[in-house]
Amino acid sequence: MKTLGVVTSGGDAPGMNAAIRGVVRLASAMGFEVLGFERGWEGLINNRFKRLTPRSVGGIIHLGGTILLTSRCPEFKTREGIKKAADNLAANNVDGLVVIGGDGSFRGALELSRETDALIVGVPATIDNDVYGSDETIGFDTAVNTAVAEIDKIRDTAISHERVFVVEVMGRRRGFLALTVGLTVGAEVILVPEVPIKMEEVFKTVKENAAKGKKSGIIVAAEGVGDTRRIAEEIEANTGAEVRLSIVGYAQRGGSPTARSRLLASLFANEAVNLLASGVGNCVVGLQKGEVRSMSLEEVCSKEKPLDTRLLGLARTLAT
Ligand code: ADP
Ligand code: F6P
């Protein structure tokens, strides 16, 4: 193996830069040349890349976003797109490719692996934390802390005005972020896409809390549960509480990565480069019961990471 490619794809996540840095420095130490493809899969299709050296990835470990840029790339979902990417890998003599991204990016990587001789290793990085085969993804801890810091402030104004706040956090399809954030801010209610909402139960909790003197409250809702403005309006109409909606939004995708996100980035980069150097590919690295391991791309792409919904019950009891 002589040349490694690295690409960041899909939604960005804090710690992607730390992962790029790790891949480049570890691969360079082994004598590989590293090409950084730009704008996700688009860069492979259009053959846009820059040569990365240990020096060119200096001063980025603490930066959110990705110096390689990222994108959603519809063309990669076509046979022609995949074929172009495979041809460009061959044209640049890329023998190994590190894909830093989420489950969508890994589905793309699986398709590409069927058309190229280059070995591919995935590095899970998404604030959604929804990659099967890894207990945690790069960026998740940072996003949790961003949302928690925001909601702690909202709690102050909620208490002084005796209001209930519905706070929408990211998670279009999965509730990992909402669940961890909800638990750690002491939310009275947590709404996740995995569990159908029972509005009557939400009304009951809000009314019971008010009756026992707890007139303020925080309801954390993943964006994937539906129209949070309507949810807030319905709660107000059915409980007599004064309800406001606050959306944390894209701040959750940015910011300086926490130490935890940087650590995962460095450990995952190490595993990815070691696997490629020893001729192993078509897998995704991850944290399994506290240890850095890997799993086949096929398995990661075919299974859904389960959400521990028992924690919703724990959060409810803790918030009584
Ligand atoms: P994430 O990696 O953050 O989950 P997306 O789901 O948006 O992000 O996926 C990133 C990109 O991966 C998509 O824009 C597309 O280019 C590619 N991709 C996703 N699913 C597939 C697929 N089934 N086949 C080929 N490419 C895919
Ligand atoms: O990065 C994951 C994620 O934040 C989802 O939770 C969210 O629904 C989605 O990306 C939104 O991203 P975009 O607007 O870039 O498609």
Side-chain angles (χ1 to χ4, degrees):
M1 180 145 323
K2 286 205 182 74
T3 306
L4 290 196
V6 58
V7 63
T8 50
S9 165
D12 60 356
M16 278 184 161
N17 279 327
I20 295 168
R21 168 186 178 269
V23 168
V24 172
R25 292 199 170 157
L26 293 159
S28 299
M30 291 183 183
F32 304 136
E33 206 187 335
V34 186
L35 308 184
F37 287 89
E38 296 174 309
R39 293 188 185 79
W41 294 126
E42 236 180 84
L44 272 93
I45 290 176
N46 301 324
N47 204 25
R48 293 295 305 264
F49 63 83
K50 50 188 174 194
R51 284 177 205 282
L52 298 174
T53 65
R55 291 282 47 80
S56 67
V57 294
I60 66 168
I61 193 170
H62 61 300
L63 299 180
T66 158
I67 60 160
L68 288 175
L69 311 179
T70 185
S71 69
R72 320 266 185 197
C73 175
E75 197 184 346
F76 206 69
K77 290 190 174 172
T78 66
R79 247 194 93 72
E80 298 71 43
I82 297 274
K83 183 84 180 55
K84 279 189 209 168
D87 288 347
N88 284 326
L89 287 175
N92 294 298
N93 300 313
V94 175
D95 328 274
L97 178 70
V98 178
V99 180
I100 304 168
D103 59 340
S105 300
F106 298 154
R107 272 191 288 278
L110 180 62
E111 295 301 326
L112 178 61
S113 72
R114 294 177 174 140
E115 297 290 333
T116 179
D117 291 333
L119 297 173
I120 304 180
V121 174
V123 166
T126 161
I127 65 157
D128 288 339
N129 197 26
D130 58 350
V131 175
Y132 184 82
S134 192
D135 300 341
E136 195 178 326
T137 54
I138 298 166
F140 177 66
D141 182 66
T142 309
V144 167
N145 280 289
T146 300
V148 165
E150 218 40 35
I151 298 172
D152 285 348
K153 292 173 193 152
I154 291 169
R155 177 78 83 176
D156 291 342
T157 177
I159 291 171
S160 46
H161 281 267
E162 298 183 299
R163 284 172 173 161
V164 170
F165 272 79
V166 173
V167 185
E168 181 188 300
V169 299
M170 274 192 162
R172 197 170 285 169
R173 283 173 293 114
R174 304 303 310 270
F176 294 98
L177 187 62
L179 180 56
T180 303
V181 168
L183 257 170
T184 52
V185 298
E188 279 67 26
V189 178
I190 302 172
L191 303 174
V192 293
E194 290 85 348
V195 181
I197 308 181
K198 296 193 181 105
M199 286 307 288
E200 289 304 325
E201 272 184 22
V202 178
F203 303 153
K204 189 164 164 261
T205 305
V206 171
K207 285 196 271 192
E208 278 174 5
N209 283 346
K212 65 186 180 205
K214 196 178 186 185
K215 293 212 169 70
S216 69
I218 299 288
I219 297 173
V220 171
E223 61 177 319
V225 301
D227 183 347
T228 47
R229 182 157 301 281
R230 247 192 71 197
I231 291 172
E233 283 165 3
E234 276 182 36
I235 297 170
E236 183 159 272
N238 287 277
T239 62
E242 198 181 347
V243 184
R244 293 286 187 271
L245 170 67
S246 194
I247 298 174
V248 184
Y250 284 86
Q252 291 161 104
R253 283 243 295 255
S256 182
T258 58
R260 172 94 189 147
S261 291
R262 298 179 202 190
L263 180 67
L264 281 187
S266 304
L267 296 175
F268 287 178
N270 184 42
E271 185 71 7
V273 171
N274 283 337
L275 285 167
L276 288 172
S278 51
V280 180
N282 304 339
C283 58
V284 178
V285 304
L287 201 63
Q288 293 167 21
K289 296 196 174 119
E291 296 205 8
V292 181
R293 291 274 155 86
S294 65
M295 196 181 268
S296 76
L297 258 174
E298 193 102 37
E299 187 170 2
V300 169
C301 292
S302 62
K303 293 186 177 160
E304 279 260 290
K305 181 170 166 179
L307 182 77
D308 187 355
T309 49
R310 289 168 311 175
L311 294 177
L312 292 169
L314 171 65
R316 208 172 306 126
T317 310
L318 287 172
T320 47

